[in-house]
DNA sequence: CGAACATATAAGTAAATAATTATATAATCA
DNA sequence: TGATTATATAATTATTTACTTATATGTTCG
């Protein structure tokens, strides 16, 4: 596949509000699924499915800690990704308003 | 709309093979519709519709020259766009293989 | 072991999107 | 003016995508 096509694939992946929000949050710190559910106010399966797409594209990686799956950005030195991360607005506010729920 | 949402919108717009190709080509030089039809090997209405989306988002601008509509990148100093353009692979090869058709 | 919890996956549904086909508009030129 | 060319728009169809609901898997802990 041509460079341009792969770039389009990446843009498509990031061209979703929820997925881009996940990437932006992970740019600050790693998170488990239930934290993302809280932060994005959506359902657990919805988060899990977006995560899978990001993982399939190797944008994020998973580390299990007990019963929790934590996710973090993977290969931040990967071509393109660094440039994209630089565009993301800071997510401090999101975290400030965030009161961790029982699960995590 | 939040910064992040607008960024997602832009990624979605660029997350299409054909539209990204158009932007990449326009990064080299302005083109009329029939040239894009040739270069992308797709139908004229298909090109026109992608162009409309790019124009609505003010990524490209139109200048009519006689019966031809030429398009070029608009406001290349716009936030984000410059960073995105820097990621685009060079399109020289595409132009080399391109033999302009009767129309233009 | 079995209940409770965290997460993933599968199946189904609804909405959005791209592409095609058909038609309209606008400019040129004989 | 009428034919031709370039392009836009509208209508339709097909595909893709996101989301929901339901269920399965894996871990912890009594």
């Amino acid at each position: 596949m041509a460079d341009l096509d792969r770039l389009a694939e990446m843009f498509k992946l990031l061209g979703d509000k929820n997925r881009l929000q996940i990437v932006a949050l992970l740019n600050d710190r790693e998170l488990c699924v239930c934290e993302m559910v809280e932060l994005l106010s959506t359902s657990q399966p919805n988060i899990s499915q977006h995560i899978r797409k990001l993982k399939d594209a190797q944008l994020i990686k998973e580390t299990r800690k007990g019963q929790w799956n934590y996710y973090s950005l993977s290969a931040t030195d990967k071509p393109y990704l660094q440039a994209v991360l630089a565009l993301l607005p800071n997510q401090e506010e999101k975290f400030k308003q965030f009161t961790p729920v029982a699960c995590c």
Side-chain angles (χ1 to χ4, degrees), chain A:
Chain A
M1 187 162 55
D3 267 16
L4 201 80
D5 294 15
R6 276 189 283 111
L7 191 56
E9 284 297 314
M10 195 197 60
F11 283 146
K12 182 185 290 181
L13 197 64
L14 297 174
D16 174 274
K17 195 167 128 59
N18 284 329
R19 281 194 297 270
L20 191 63
Q21 175 76 79
I22 290 173
V23 170
L25 291 169
L26 293 183
N27 197 27
D28 276 13
R29 62 159 96 151
E30 70 170 9
L31 292 168
C32 69
V33 174
C34 61
E35 285 172 320
M36 298 185 207
V37 169
E38 277 297 299
L39 282 158
L40 303 207
S41 316
T42 183
S43 70
Q44 175 269 311
N46 193 20
I47 293 287
S48 275
Q49 283 167 32
H50 285 306
I51 279 180
R52 181 141 70 123
K53 291 190 178 182
L54 293 170
K55 202 174 52 154
D56 286 352
Q58 297 182 306
L59 253 69
I60 64 175
K61 63 175 189 295
E62 157 188 319
T63 42
R64 185 168 269 275
K65 299 185 183 178
Q67 53 186 325
W68 297 279
N69 260 348
Y70 277 83
Y71 291 92
S72 56
L73 292 185
S74 136
T76 44
D77 59 337
K78 168 180 310 187
Y80 309 142
L81 189 50
Q82 201 50 251
V84 167
L85 295 181
L87 296 175
L88 298 174
N90 183 278
Q91 296 300 303
E92 254 176 38
E93 278 309 312
K94 272 269 175 189
F95 282 114
K96 266 186 202 154
Q97 292 157 24
F98 168 60
T99 43
V101 106
C103 76
C104 321

